[in-house]
Amino acid sequence: MTSSGVALALLVLLGLVVLVGPWVLGAANRLDRLHVRTDAAWAALDAALARRAVVTRAVAAVCGQPPLHAAADRAERAPRAEREAAENVLSALLEDLDRSVLAPALAAELSDAEQRVVLARRVHNDAVRDTLSLRRRRLVRWLRLAGTAPTPSYFEIAEPPADVPTQRVSARVVLVDADDRVLLFEGFDPARPEELFWFTVGGGVEPAEDLRAAAVREAHEETGLRLPPEDLVGPVWKRRAVFSFDGLSYAAEEWFFVCRATDAEVDTSRFNEQEQRTICRHRWWSVDELRATDDTVYPVQLAEVLPAALTGWDGETRLIR
């Protein structure tokens, strides 16, 4: 090769370095940042999975489920290569768990832990996707810009159902008149307007609100009656139920007080917009009428447990359906 040919080759090589060099440096820097991002995302996912395991063990202790406790232990201690399989076993057990038996606070903590795993996994997999996309470029592979950094991998585990029930604590009033008749409202779920059912006075407890105060407030809003808090007996019953209303799922914990109404005149003018739409009527029911009706009544054991509640309360809150 002549000196002019060598000079031309050097010139071309220099031009390539000038043109490609900045891209190579930029790609190397970006790849380094992506590896750091992936490592941080895995650390966050690992922490979210560990928290889910901790909460699951608490749930297993409450429910008396050793297999659930053992699955949480295995998932938390599994090496990275076996982690997906172990976490998926745990996810399957949690999906089959009857959450209606859990206290609302614990059920909410479990749902929160599960949703944090979902978010952390998505952030991690997004970081892995971006890192792999850059590592697969030809120049990056030819020039070995990834160095000795290990190839990141996706973390695939089953996500909990999207319709995880919302935890809802309610204070309800079994309002009875001088003839031992109980006041019930008839209403329907907007998603199934053809299915009517009867239910007691009461509603959701607001944040930091006392159960008795919530019962008094709800009774006034729904009936217009101002019940003295000291007249409320109980809570005599507690009911847990999972149900859907207007397309949303709820895990309810309901506390029932008994109160005698000195005034049987009910004023529903304070109903909120939803109550106005979904409550058809109200009436006073005797125990005999409750026993004889084919209508749907909640709680379903009302006719069975009401007579004992009317004769006096022994101080024990009983679980009912």
Side-chain angles (χ1 to χ4, degrees):
M1 183 181 290
T2 63
S3 58
S4 61
V6 171
L8 180 61
L10 290 174
L11 209 62
V12 170
L13 181 60
L14 181 62
L16 288 173
V17 170
V18 170
L19 291 174
V20 178
W23 183 91
V24 171
L25 289 174
N29 287 332
R30 182 164 178 247
L31 195 55
D32 182 61
R33 291 194 300 271
L34 283 172
H35 281 122
V36 171
R37 175 186 162 197
T38 303
D39 290 342
W42 169 251
L45 175 56
D46 185 51
L49 291 168
R51 178 171 178 259
R52 183 176 78 156
V54 170
V55 178
T56 299
R57 282 193 287 270
V59 169
V62 170
C63 298
Q65 293 197 23
L68 185 60
H69 193 290
D73 283 344
R74 283 194 298 271
E76 190 173 25
R77 297 170 184 171
R80 178 65 176 86
E82 302 170 13
R83 191 73 177 272
E84 280 185 9
E87 294 289 353
N88 273 314
V89 170
L90 179 58
S91 295
L93 290 174
L94 288 172
E95 186 173 349
D96 292 336
L97 179 68
D98 180 8
R99 303 186 184 215
S100 66
V101 303
L102 300 178
L106 184 57
E109 187 174 5
L110 178 59
S111 294
D112 179 71
E114 289 177 314
Q115 293 307 313
R116 287 178 185 272
V117 168
V118 170
L119 293 175
R121 187 189 72 85
R122 291 176 181 175
V123 170
H124 171 266
N125 284 358
D126 285 348
V128 170
R129 179 200 61 214
D130 294 343
T131 304
L132 292 178
S133 176
L134 185 54
R135 286 180 65 124
R136 287 167 181 160
R137 294 191 180 184
R138 287 193 180 89
L139 273 179
V140 172
R141 289 188 284 108
W142 291 343
L143 299 177
R144 299 180 182 274
L145 297 183
T148 59
T151 303
S153 59
Y154 293 107
F155 193 80
E156 301 297 351
I157 61 172
E159 295 188 356
D163 60 342
V164 174
T166 299
Q167 305 303 310
R168 186 174 189 268
V169 179
S170 299
R172 313 205 68 86
V173 181
V174 181
L175 195 63
V176 294
D177 65 7
D179 297 320
D180 286 347
R181 297 179 305 168
V182 61
L183 178 67
L184 297 178
F185 291 109
E186 184 184 45
F188 59 87
D189 178 350
R192 299 186 298 274
E194 71 285 357
E195 299 178 13
L196 299 175
F197 55 89
W198 295 89
F199 56 96
T200 58
V201 174
V205 178
E206 296 179 352
E209 188 177 28
D210 175 76
L211 282 173
R212 189 176 297 269
V216 169
R217 174 183 54 77
E218 286 287 338
H220 180 249
E221 291 175 359
E222 295 182 356
T223 69
L225 303 176
R226 293 191 178 275
L227 305 178
E230 62 273 14
D231 286 357
L232 270 64
V233 178
V236 295
W237 309 321
K238 178 180 178 181
R239 174 177 179 259
R240 290 193 176 111
V242 177
F243 63 92
S244 63
F245 188 83
D246 204 10
L248 300 176
S249 296
Y250 296 91
E253 181 178 272
E254 300 178 333
W255 299 83
F256 292 82
F257 295 86
V258 173
C259 186
R260 289 196 174 272
T262 56
D263 180 4
E265 188 67 31
V266 175
D267 174 12
T268 61
S269 62
R270 295 174 182 81
F271 274 0
N272 60 33
E273 188 271 336
Q274 184 182 71
E275 290 166 340
Q276 291 174 6
R277 285 191 301 111
T278 60
I279 295 179
C280 311
R281 57 177 175 150
H282 64 271
R283 59 164 285 199
W284 298 86
W285 291 73
S286 69
V287 172
D288 289 339
E289 288 172 329
L290 288 172
R291 288 170 177 163
T293 186
D294 290 327
D295 291 357
T296 301
V297 177
Y298 295 114
V300 296
Q301 287 183 287
L302 183 59
E304 176 185 340
V305 297
L306 182 57
L310 294 177
T311 60
W313 183 47
D314 61 6
E316 180 182 352
T317 302
R318 290 175 169 79
L319 286 174
I320 63 169
R321 293 182 288 110

